[in-house]
């Protein structure tokens, strides 16, 4: 079966499952100002990039049925994880320079509980493994073979994640790049946002609780074993139920250097708006790269306890998706350069 036909089949099955599992009628699902208390901005889900819009729809189907934010963000990011045409997340992700698809993911809930997997292979939904690390182990993070063993022991299926398209692209890259990892390879790929980047997602549920998830295949053609910011709590994602949450996308090494998501949450705690906090973090990244800020891209996205959201990027081109009771939009982030 072709990749596309397989994905269409999976999508139809998932929609059917969602519909059959739904307890509310279609009419009750229509957003309603009172029901969703939209003046307070809840519930709301935001995520990185324009492909976040499809993921937000998955999260929304949980939120609108009074589901928990943690369930919403997991359900939401599983959508790009399962999409073989998204070559930066999960199944179909671009491999490392050795041709191996290695995935990074983390999740964090309203109680500050968190779980993470890094450099995990052969598992289509690393976000669900991360959640299981959070819920069934005394640890926060499992990596590589240990993460795979844990997943297999807990019922996850071993699958081939390298699609024919991603394998073809990798073989082409090998001819041109002579096996040397590039700092910001995704910006040189044609085709726009579909061709790059992590999904980071944050949601507030009807009760006002906040959770987040972040999942990626990481920088394309990275060295084997390289881990970016996305599975690192505090760098790629951070949630504090009293304040808000933040996530990001782009060159993970730069995000780790400033512990980006945690920095943004702390700036919001001090009173900055989500956008101002993201901007301040981006300015630090620019300051860390005085010679060559044009070689890198980082975008941050944040949500505060009141449901106010904002984003900021180093360079033009970072989009993010927002869904709440009165809007379902893709927005362009402001940028520094
Ligand atoms: C990483 N931040 O692995 C992730 C991937 C990404 O642009 O967003 N790349 O560094």
């Amino acid at each position: 079966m072709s990749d596309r036909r397989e994905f269409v089949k999976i999508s139809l099955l998932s929609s059917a499952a969602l519909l059959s599992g739904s307890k509310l009628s279609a009419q009750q699902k229509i957003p309603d100002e009172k029901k969703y208390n939209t003046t307070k901005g809840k519930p709301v889900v935001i995520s990185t990039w324009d492909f976040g819009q499809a993921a937000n729809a998955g999260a929304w189907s949980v939120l609108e049925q009074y589901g928990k934010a943690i369930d919403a963000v997991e359900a939401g990011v599983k959508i790009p994880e399962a999409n073989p045409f998204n070559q930066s997340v999960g199944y179909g992700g671009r491999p490392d320079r050795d041709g191996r698809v290695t995935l990074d993911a983390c999740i964090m809930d309203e109680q500050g509980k968190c779980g993470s997997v890094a450099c995990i292979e052969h598992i289509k939904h690393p976000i669900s493994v991360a959640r299981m690390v959070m819920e069934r182990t005394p640890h926060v993070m499992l990596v590589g073979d240990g993460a795979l063993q844990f997943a297999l022991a807990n019922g996850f299926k071993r699958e081939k994640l390298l699609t024919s398209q991603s394998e073809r692209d990798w073989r082409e890259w090998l001819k041109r790049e002579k096996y040397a990892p590039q700092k910001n390879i995704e910006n040189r790929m044609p085709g726009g946002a579909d061709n790059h980047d992590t999904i980071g997602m944050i949601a507030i549920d009807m009760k006002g609780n906040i959770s987040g998830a972040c999942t990626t295949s990481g920088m394309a053609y990275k060295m084997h074993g390289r881990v970016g910011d996305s599975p690192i709590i505090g760098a790629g994602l951070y949630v504090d139920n009293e304040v808000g949450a933040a996530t990001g996308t782009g060159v993970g090494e730069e995000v780790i250097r400033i512990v980006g998501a945690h920095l943004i949450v702390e700036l919001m705690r001090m009173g900055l708006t989500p956008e101002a906090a993201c901007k301040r973090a981006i300015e630090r990244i620019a300051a860390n790269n005085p010679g060559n800020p044009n070689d890198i891209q980082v975008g941050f996205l944040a949500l505060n306890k009141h449901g106010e959201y904002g984003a900021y990027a180093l360079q033009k081109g970072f989009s993010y998706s927002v869904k709440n009771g009165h809007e379902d939009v893709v927005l362009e982030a402001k940028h520094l350069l």
Side-chain angles (χ1 to χ4, degrees):
M1 196 185 290
S2 75
D3 289 340
R4 184 172 290 277
R5 276 173 53 210
E6 192 182 344
F7 180 63
V8 169
K9 191 175 138 203
I10 293 166
S11 304
L12 289 174
L13 285 173
S14 321
S15 314
L18 274 178
L19 287 176
S20 64
S22 160
K23 293 201 183 81
L24 300 177
S25 72
Q27 200 181 5
Q28 280 173 299
K29 279 190 189 171
I30 294 168
D32 158 342
E33 290 289 321
K34 283 188 189 133
K35 178 175 160 193
Y36 295 122
N37 196 9
T38 52
T39 53
K40 292 221 168 109
K42 292 173 239 174
V44 56
V45 54
I46 63 174
S47 58
T48 51
W49 301 111
D50 53 358
F51 62 77
Q53 202 167 26
N56 286 355
W60 189 256
S61 67
V62 175
L63 295 172
E64 71 172 348
Q65 296 197 51
Y66 294 80
K68 294 177 67 178
I70 189 76
D71 295 325
V73 294
E74 182 186 4
V77 303
K78 282 175 80 172
I79 289 171
E81 278 186 346
N83 182 349
F85 304 105
N86 183 323
Q87 290 182 286
S88 57
V89 181
Y91 176 43
R94 287 198 164 83
D96 64 18
R97 66 180 188 176
D98 296 345
R100 298 164 73 161
V101 179
T102 67
L103 305 177
D104 296 340
C106 74
I107 193 160
M108 190 162 188
D109 77 4
E110 76 282 359
Q111 297 171 38
K113 287 189 295 183
C114 47
S116 160
V117 288
C119 203
I120 187 171
E121 294 181 77
H122 311 302
I123 301 292
K124 191 183 271 178
H125 289 300
I127 197 67
S128 299
V129 186
R131 184 164 180 182
M132 219 173 253
V133 171
M134 171 174 98
E135 290 177 344
R136 297 196 191 169
T137 79
H139 308 307
V140 165
M141 191 168 195
L142 292 178
V143 306
D145 282 348
L148 175 62
Q149 271 174 32
F150 172 75
L152 296 175
N154 281 283
F156 288 84
K157 213 168 73 191
R158 185 186 182 103
E159 295 182 70
K160 183 179 177 207
L161 302 182
L162 185 64
T163 54
S164 42
Q165 181 63 51
S166 286
E167 183 171 357
R168 268 199 304 277
D169 292 351
W170 166 63
R171 290 194 187 283
E172 275 305 305
W173 176 84
L174 275 181
K175 285 184 206 161
R176 292 192 318 269
E177 303 292 345
K178 301 190 176 58
Y179 200 60
Q182 302 290 313
K183 197 168 185 190
N184 195 26
I185 187 86
E186 75 279 358
N187 276 358
R188 296 193 284 116
M189 289 174 182
D194 276 346
N195 271 341
H196 60 109
D197 272 359
T198 303
I199 184 147
M201 175 180 279
I202 307 164
I204 305 184
D205 62 26
M206 299 269 191
K207 287 189 172 161
N209 284 325
I210 312 173
S211 294
C214 187
T215 176
T216 188
S217 51
M219 301 291 279
Y221 319 131
K222 59 197 173 186
M223 291 171 70
H224 181 65
R226 179 266 187 189
V227 170
D229 59 315
S230 306
I232 297 180
I233 297 293
L237 175 73
Y238 197 71
V239 175
D240 184 319
N241 212 41
E242 300 296 308
V243 176
T247 188
T249 179
V251 179
E253 284 75 2
E254 299 300 332
V255 178
I256 293 170
R257 289 172 76 196
I258 63 157
V259 199
H262 186 262
L263 171 65
I264 291 165
V265 170
E266 292 308 305
L267 289 167
M268 291 195 293
R269 192 192 308 279
M270 288 159 59
L272 269 65
T273 64
E275 182 184 302
C278 290
K279 181 171 187 234
R280 195 72 74 78
I282 288 291
E283 285 166 352
R284 283 211 191 169
I285 289 179
N288 280 347
N289 291 274
N292 57 352
N294 286 315
D295 287 354
I296 53 176
Q297 170 65 314
V298 172
F300 287 121
L301 182 58
L303 182 65
N304 69 17
K305 185 72 182 161
H306 310 296
E308 296 158 348
Y309 55 81
Y312 212 85
L314 191 57
Q315 302 190 48
K316 189 171 164 46
F318 171 49
S319 61
Y320 62 104
S321 301
V322 176
K323 181 156 177 62
N324 56 30
H326 58 279
E327 55 189 348
D328 184 359
V329 288
V330 177
L331 301 168
E332 188 77 20
K334 291 185 195 158
H335 52 96
L336 191 68
L337 301 179

